[in-house]
Amino acid sequence: MMSLMGEHPQNIDCGVSAIYNTKPAPLKEPLVPFEHQVGGHSALSHAAGRVWKPMIKKEVTFYQRIWAEESSPECLWIRDWTPRYYGLFEREELAEERVAPQASSGPLGGRVTEKPAQREGSRGSEVEKRSSPWEKKLSEIRKRQKPMRLYVCLEDLTARFSRPCILDVKLGVRTYDDDASPEKKLRHQEKVRNTTSGKYGVRLSGMQVYIRQEGDYLFRDKYHGRTLKREGLVTNLRDFFDNGNGLRRDLVSRCKAKLEFLKSFVDVQRLFYFYSSSLLIVYEGDEDVANPSVDVRMIDFAHTQPSFDHSDPGCSLGVSTLVKILDEILGED
Ligand SMILES: Nc1ncnc2c1ncn2[C@@H]1O[C@H](COP(=O)(O)OP(=O)(O)O)[C@@H](O)[C@H]1O
Ligand SMILES: [Mg+2]
């Protein structure tokens, strides 16, 4: 907790007190659309190594709790597996957001390349260049989304990477919280039944992989993720760790080890039901960077609720499916 204090850049007013206060701190920083968002419902913004996400009550409650309970080993543990939380912020004036500089043209400016998996189990040699349906959807969301007043401020998990390869996988076999309407419950139950969520507790919610030869990102969105069977999920995970030069086995092993460690915690924690949360897995797509690492964190607590001394078996199932799949991938020739 205290370690956070020294790390706030001078130009952003996000004092540690903002973490505890339900009263938001003023947000003066001009926000820029976040170009490395691979999934979600609302559009995130970023500035100075942080992302700002429109405030959702359950999510704030979650972050405030884990950063307030110093004596709970479970809360301390969860902090390590989630983005750093910098508090709740309020925009003083609802000015238009700046246009992202990366939104212009150019090989990386185009941001994403979408290529649906050609058949379950294989990746084609060439990457088809066209604009991603997700990118279109996100820009529609940005246009539609009124400047919000309240935001949570989180560590940008992609900030330390020059070519971030990002995977968002939704965990669990239930994706609605207790406050959902009967219609919403039915809708979500159907989505779970018809996707890999139902049987395996995990589904692809978005992914980008930097393809060096193309100088661009390959992209798959949540709509693609909903069409997959288990085999297709395996294909996508293999693709995630292959930027055109072959499987990054070192990264797959590291990721698997982290997931096993995470599972040992998720199996025993009895604080939360992580309904509809995701794992965000990020690694460096620039192969010239020495000692590549892979970051594995839980994100999206918009539907997380206290479990009152129960574990979350759906979340455990999802993590163990991922471990199994990575193990299978490593076992292939
Ligand atoms: N802390 C973070 N750092 C980097 N990217 C993030 C972070 N939080 C969310 N994202 C990106 O934004 C997307 C949507 O975020 P999420 O919290 O899942 O929102 P929603 O509640 O709308 O689903 C994720 O798929 C991921 O790409
Ligand atoms: Mg999400």
Side-chain angles (χ1 to χ4, degrees):
M1 177 67 228
M2 294 310 285
S3 65
L4 272 178
M5 294 188 84
E7 295 172 16
H8 294 133
Q10 297 304 307
N11 59 337
I12 295 186
D13 175 13
C14 49
V16 170
S17 58
I19 292 170
Y20 294 118
N21 290 345
T22 33
K23 191 172 174 314
L27 168 59
K28 293 164 186 147
E29 189 72 6
L31 299 179
V32 175
F34 180 47
E35 75 275 22
H36 289 303
Q37 177 173 350
V38 301
H41 305 88
S42 58
L44 274 64
S45 308
H46 76 132
R50 284 124 211 259
V51 291
W52 274 264
K53 179 179 171 181
M55 190 276 281
I56 296 164
K57 204 148 178 255
K58 284 196 172 63
E59 189 156 54
V60 177
T61 306
F62 166 81
Y63 277 113
Q64 280 177 340
R65 177 168 176 195
I66 65 163
W67 285 95
E69 292 186 20
E70 288 295 325
S71 59
S72 155
E74 279 161 309
C75 285
L76 296 181
W77 222 96
I78 295 175
R79 284 184 206 174
D80 284 344
W81 288 95
T82 50
R84 280 190 190 160
Y85 174 60
Y86 295 109
L88 181 62
F89 285 81
E90 182 172 24
R91 256 188 183 187
E92 290 181 325
E93 49 188 275
L94 298 180
E96 288 293 308
E97 290 197 352
R98 264 197 234 146
V99 175
Q102 294 84 349
S104 59
S105 57
L108 282 168
R111 186 172 107 63
V112 287
T113 298
E114 198 260 357
K115 181 179 76 66
Q118 292 173 332
R119 63 182 166 84
E120 300 230 324
S122 89
R123 167 162 160 178
S125 54
E126 96 290 3
V127 176
E128 194 181 314
K129 296 228 173 194
R130 61 187 155 96
S131 92
S132 146
W134 168 247
E135 183 59 12
K136 276 185 207 139
K137 171 110 186 161
L138 194 58
S139 77
E140 277 166 25
I141 294 172
R142 281 194 195 118
K143 271 184 218 145
R144 223 182 30 232
Q145 185 170 290
K146 295 198 186 80
M148 305 288 171
R149 207 161 252 298
L150 293 170
Y151 292 82
V152 291
C153 179
L154 301 167
E155 168 191 6
D156 173 3
L157 299 172
T158 69
R160 68 190 173 97
F161 299 99
S162 79
R163 300 284 181 256
C165 298
I166 310 166
L167 179 72
D168 177 329
V169 278
K170 195 184 278 291
L171 296 172
V173 293
R174 178 177 151 174
T175 54
Y176 55 87
D177 59 55
D178 285 350
D179 298 332
S181 64
E183 298 74 33
K184 185 169 180 178
K185 284 181 185 169
L186 282 174
R187 236 178 22 246
H188 278 247
Q189 284 162 351
E190 201 189 339
K191 228 178 265 171
V192 161
R193 230 185 359 260
N194 294 329
T195 62
T196 49
S197 295
K199 204 160 162 200
Y200 304 105
V202 65
R203 79 171 182 254
L204 179 89
S205 289
M207 139 174 154
Q208 71 174 37
V209 187
Y210 180 66
I211 307 290
R212 193 181 193 167
Q213 294 95 319
E214 302 290 329
D216 210 343
Y217 291 94
L218 172 147
F219 192 83
R220 301 217 173 110
D221 62 22
K222 64 179 172 183
Y223 307 105
H224 176 66
R226 288 182 199 159
T227 67
L228 300 172
K229 303 272 183 285
R230 190 183 191 279
E231 202 191 339
L233 192 58
V234 177
T235 304
N236 276 277
L237 278 162
R238 201 187 291 116
D239 289 353
F240 177 62
F241 287 106
D242 179 351
N243 60 352
N245 290 338
L247 186 71
R248 305 277 303 267
R249 298 180 68 87
D250 53 335
L251 293 176
V252 180
S253 296
R254 267 176 225 180
C255 185
K256 190 188 137 204
K258 286 202 174 177
L259 288 169
E260 281 169 332
F261 194 31
L262 174 64
K263 187 175 177 320
S264 67
F265 165 72
V266 171
D267 284 349
V268 297
Q269 74 82 28
R270 296 172 83 84
L271 285 186
F272 297 109
Y273 290 127
F274 296 106
Y275 299 138
S276 207
S277 289
S278 283
L279 279 180
L280 200 73
I281 302 178
V282 192
Y283 73 86
E284 177 58 66
D286 179 352
E287 285 175 88
D288 294 336
V289 171
N291 302 320
S293 63
V294 53
D295 198 358
V296 176
R297 307 283 185 109
M298 292 180 75
I299 59 158
D300 195 354
F301 304 99
H303 301 285
T304 292
Q305 59 184 55
S307 64
F308 301 108
D309 209 22
H310 290 83
S311 61
D312 183 341
C315 185
S316 295
L317 173 68
V319 181
S320 66
T321 299
L322 289 171
V323 170
K324 272 191 209 137
I325 292 180
L326 295 189
D327 207 33
E328 286 167 30
I329 291 174
L330 284 171
E332 293 166 356
D333 283 324

